[in-house]
Amino acid sequence: MHELSPMAFAISSSIKVFLVFSVSLAVVAFMTLTERKVAGFIQDRLGPNRVGPFGLLQPVADGIKNFLKEETMPATANRPFFIMAPMLAIIPAVVTFAVIPFAAPLPTPWGVVGMVVADIPIGILYVLALSSLGVYGLFLAGWASNNKYALLGGVRSSSQMVSYEVALGLSLIPVFMLAGNVTLTEIVWQQQLLGMWYLFPLSLAFIFFVISAFAETNRLPFDLPEAESELVTGYHTEYSAMKFSMFMIAEFSHILTASALMATLFLGGWSIPFWSGDHMFWYQGMLISGFGADGAPVAAAPALWITLLTLLSFIVKTLFFILVFMWVRWTLPRFRYDQVMHLGWKVMLPIALAYVMIIAATILVLDQVGIEGFLFGAVLTLVSLLCTGIFVFAVDRDRIISGSTREPAPPAPRSPVPSGAGVRRVLPAGSPASGDL
Amino acid sequence: MVDVLFYVFAAVALGGGLGVVLARSPVGSLLFMLATLFSVAGIFVLLEAHFLAAIQVMVYAGAIMVLFLFVIMLLNLGHDFRKDFTFGAGMVAAFVVAGVMAGFLARQFRGSGDHPLYAFFPGPEGMDALLAEQGAVGAIAHPLFTDYVVAFELTGILLLMALVGAIAIAKQRV
């Protein structure tokens, strides 16, 4: 199995770019329908069901509607920035999918084609870099509209995204330490070698990544930038027609990319659990399926059916996280702004830092002792489980674990004597709660 | 192909740099600066310095410029900045800085003087082998955390001191 010639590489890359771009935009279109269907299911109603069978053509109808609506331009808006903002929002959202591997390499008569648009050596850093640019679209939209609600939405979105980028980056460091590299193909490969999804050995990092991803995509419970009960619709208040639609496409593309990233980083990506037939990785210009007993690489045997099966695995995992995004939206209420900042800076940042140190120390000890393979993962799983337990117990504040079992505290009895400096409190005789004071 | 891309990125970077100086509104200047930073990141990619490009975009374009945006939009609303740019001490300082920069560039183009960092450069083939062995991040991380670890940690402490100092100064005004 050899690598592609430059010509075949160019042609296959063009095809992949076209396919991934159009498929992801189609998925985004149908995610709007899924969201409304899930909302309907959760709220015990039907959801859209008028256009086409089961309402399946609703996204098409929405698209046509958005194309035909009037483009509004506020009189006092800053015209060039107002037009530029939706573009700046949508470009980072649609190009980040390029580095995510979505299936096992595909054998063709011209060589083996990797099922990722661009397997660049910086992998996920590319995603982080581009998604950090998404701030500009939202902030410019809020500022250029010259509308106080839009400006507040823009300020909130950018401060929230900047804050949670820190926690997002810190939650990725344990993954890098375990995988030893930042390319997503290698992260998938290392999970296959370990025989364990990173969800288990790095459970706390997974929780932090999910929380930060919700904040980065501006989804409930972090949708303060477009809090409709306070800010009309936040940064896109003044937008209509396709410009408004572009913000929506950007948000849903972010959800798609975040779901695919969670699946790749923590759920093994396209690999199929409990099966070693799909282990494939480019190692020194050779597609290998693993290392023999003597440490020599063993050549892999890619096949079309393996590629299709792994693609299915990737789609199932990604769709699961997309559903989680929607499920959470219709389950949790919105945070208050100070709660968002408190969680990001005072809770997640220090705990993520401590967790990085704990995981680094554990990996160091395990390497020194010489433990490898499944036991390595099992020890890390135990350590992470302990950290996750402590974290959940600390932030829980008696709500989930013992919230319903504890009796509510009785109201404090009123003292007949006004309390003040030098006045000793006198309790009414026989007060039931006198011991509590 | 690489040559064409280089000229495109270089043109955008230079145009953006001019735009920063010439734009009427501060927000316009900021967006031009963003274009410049992004084009320089593109040139880094053409030089196969992927990690540097990602960090350039992530840190400068994604974090520092966002803070600039905050400052420009929120703290400086309605402030007439144009009187800051009259002839005077600032202009003299600008010319001095430009002259010093031109001197550095001239030294680089003449090729005179020793380049201390070139001693560590393993050449194109050695670079490819290094990248294949350690990855794009490892090739930077290994020297940073072995040979230069003291300087690296000291820089971290310096930045922390700056941060604490900034907070201490800002606190007094509240």
Side-chain angles (χ1 to χ4, degrees):
Chain A
M1 284 302 161
H2 54 95
E3 289 188 78
L4 295 169
S5 67
M7 191 64 198
F9 175 77
I11 293 172
S12 67
S13 292
S14 312
I15 295 173
K16 280 187 290 187
V17 167
F18 177 74
L19 276 184
V20 168
F21 186 69
S22 44
V23 168
S24 62
L25 276 191
V27 170
V28 162
F30 276 95
M31 275 163 71
T32 58
L33 176 67
T34 321
E35 171 130 279
R36 292 161 72 180
K37 280 283 184 190
V38 170
F41 173 73
I42 288 180
Q43 296 168 350
D44 201 13
R45 51 188 178 84
L46 288 174
N49 64 349
R50 295 289 124 176
V51 193
F54 309 107
L56 278 177
L57 294 180
Q58 185 69 42
V60 182
D62 287 342
I64 293 173
K65 182 188 78 175
N66 273 326
F67 270 115
L68 296 181
K69 280 178 89 170
E70 182 192 356
E71 295 269 359
T72 53
M73 168 71 69
T76 54
N78 190 326
R79 203 181 163 88
F81 295 148
F82 187 81
I83 296 172
M84 208 199 288
M87 306 180 198
L88 281 179
I90 200 169
I91 291 172
V94 292
V95 295
T96 40
F97 206 87
V99 293
I100 299 175
F102 47 88
L106 176 72
T108 61
W110 304 277
V112 180
V113 181
M115 285 289 106
V116 48
V117 173
D119 190 14
I120 51 177
I122 45 171
I124 190 154
L125 296 181
Y126 164 86
V127 179
L128 291 182
L130 279 176
S131 66
S132 69
L133 293 181
V135 179
Y136 289 100
L138 309 192
F139 202 118
L140 265 190
W143 185 76
S145 301
N146 210 350
N147 172 318
K148 60 185 168 191
Y149 299 117
L151 180 65
L152 276 176
V155 171
R156 282 186 181 183
S157 74
S158 38
S159 55
Q160 176 176 309
M161 284 171 90
V162 169
S163 305
Y164 280 82
E165 244 164 46
V166 182
L168 189 79
L170 282 176
S171 70
L172 286 175
I173 289 178
V175 178
F176 298 159
M177 287 194 298
L178 213 49
N181 205 337
V182 293
T183 60
L184 288 161
T185 44
E186 176 143 5
I187 289 174
V188 171
W189 163 246
Q190 293 289 342
Q191 291 184 71
Q192 291 175 338
L193 275 191
L194 188 64
M196 190 183 278
W197 291 348
Y198 281 172
L199 169 65
F200 302 109
L202 301 174
S203 47
L204 192 57
F206 172 69
I207 293 174
F208 280 3
F209 187 83
V210 171
I211 295 176
S212 312
F214 273 86
E216 290 285 303
T217 50
N218 290 330
R219 292 284 296 190
L220 265 169
F222 293 98
D223 75 332
L224 300 130
E226 40 194 304
E228 62 270 9
S229 48
E230 315 158 31
L231 297 180
V232 194
T233 55
Y235 57 86
H236 53 62
T237 301
E238 297 283 2
Y239 284 88
S240 70
M242 267 325 273
K243 289 206 200 77
F244 164 77
S245 190
M246 278 161 85
F247 283 116
M248 284 291 111
I249 294 173
E251 179 179 325
F252 279 101
S253 310
H254 271 307
I255 296 173
L256 177 64
T257 310
S259 305
L261 270 184
M262 288 176 206
T264 305
L265 293 172
F266 294 100
L267 255 62
W270 45 261
S271 73
I272 297 169
F274 307 116
W275 187 50
S276 60
D278 63 342
H279 289 194
M280 276 175 221
F281 182 64
W282 287 107
Y283 181 74
Q284 294 176 350
M286 176 184 172
L287 192 68
I288 62 166
S289 68
F291 296 97
D294 53 348
V298 181
L304 177 63
W305 63 275
I306 295 181
T307 303
L308 291 179
L309 263 186
T310 50
L311 180 64
L312 185 69
S313 162
F314 178 77
I315 291 173
V316 168
K317 290 169 186 173
T318 308
L319 283 184
F320 169 74
F321 280 115
I322 291 176
L323 277 181
V324 169
F325 264 99
M326 292 168 182
W327 183 11
V328 167
R329 168 165 184 188
W330 300 107
T331 307
L332 292 179
R334 184 181 300 133
F335 278 130
R336 236 174 31 228
Y337 184 73
D338 62 316
Q339 290 172 327
V340 170
M341 288 297 134
H342 179 85
L343 180 68
W345 289 109
K346 292 186 182 170
V347 177
M348 282 174 52
L349 175 62
I351 295 180
L353 266 177
Y355 185 66
V356 167
M357 293 308 292
I358 291 171
I359 289 295
T362 314
I363 291 177
L364 186 66
V365 168
L366 289 177
D367 277 351
Q368 292 294 320
V369 178
I371 293 175
E372 280 178 354
F374 186 77
L375 192 61
F376 181 86
V379 173
L380 270 177
T381 306
L382 273 181
V383 171
S384 287
L385 203 62
L386 199 67
C387 295
T388 309
I390 294 172
F391 171 70
V392 171
F393 187 77
V395 296
D396 176 51
R397 290 186 295 181
D398 289 353
R399 281 186 197 151
I400 302 168
I401 292 176
S402 59
S404 55
T405 57
R406 182 175 288 184
E407 289 284 316
R414 288 201 176 173
S415 166
V417 178
S419 58
V423 179
R424 191 165 172 272
R425 275 193 174 213
V426 179
L427 289 170
S431 166
S434 56
D436 280 356
L437 291 175
Chain B
M1 182 70 178
V2 171
D3 284 350
V4 173
L5 281 176
F6 170 77
Y7 284 116
V8 169
F9 282 130
V12 174
L14 288 178
L18 275 179
V20 174
V21 186
L22 299 178
R24 290 274 176 95
S25 77
V27 179
S29 291
L30 186 131
L31 288 180
F32 276 119
M33 180 114 187
L34 204 61
T36 303
L37 291 172
F38 210 82
S39 311
V40 173
I43 292 175
F44 283 151
V45 171
L46 294 182
L47 292 171
E48 302 264 320
H50 294 99
F51 181 70
L52 216 53
I55 293 300
Q56 162 99 355
V57 174
M58 210 187 309
V59 174
Y60 285 98
I64 293 181
M65 295 311 280
V66 174
L67 293 183
F68 279 27
L69 199 65
F70 267 98
V71 173
I72 291 171
M73 287 184 178
L74 301 178
L75 304 183
N76 222 8
L77 283 178
H79 169 65
D80 184 14
F81 56 90
R82 234 159 279 176
K83 64 175 163 32
D84 296 345
F85 299 126
T86 49
F87 280 93
M91 218 49 158
V92 173
F95 273 109
V96 169
V97 170
V100 172
M101 290 303 287
F104 281 135
L105 279 178
R107 179 175 177 275
Q108 192 71 19
F109 274 115
R110 257 181 49 225
S112 70
D114 51 341
H115 301 288
L117 286 177
Y118 281 12
F120 297 96
F121 185 62
E125 295 85 16
M127 207 65 198
D128 282 346
L130 196 67
L131 283 178
E133 186 194 343
Q134 302 181 336
V137 182
I140 284 186
H142 277 287
L144 199 59
F145 286 103
T146 52
D147 295 347
Y148 303 107
V149 66
V150 177
F152 178 75
E153 297 287 340
L154 282 181
T155 314
I157 294 173
L158 183 71
L159 288 177
L160 182 68
M161 275 158 55
L163 204 65
V164 173
I167 292 173
I169 292 171
K171 270 270 177 188
Q172 290 171 355
R173 304 230 173 118
V174 173

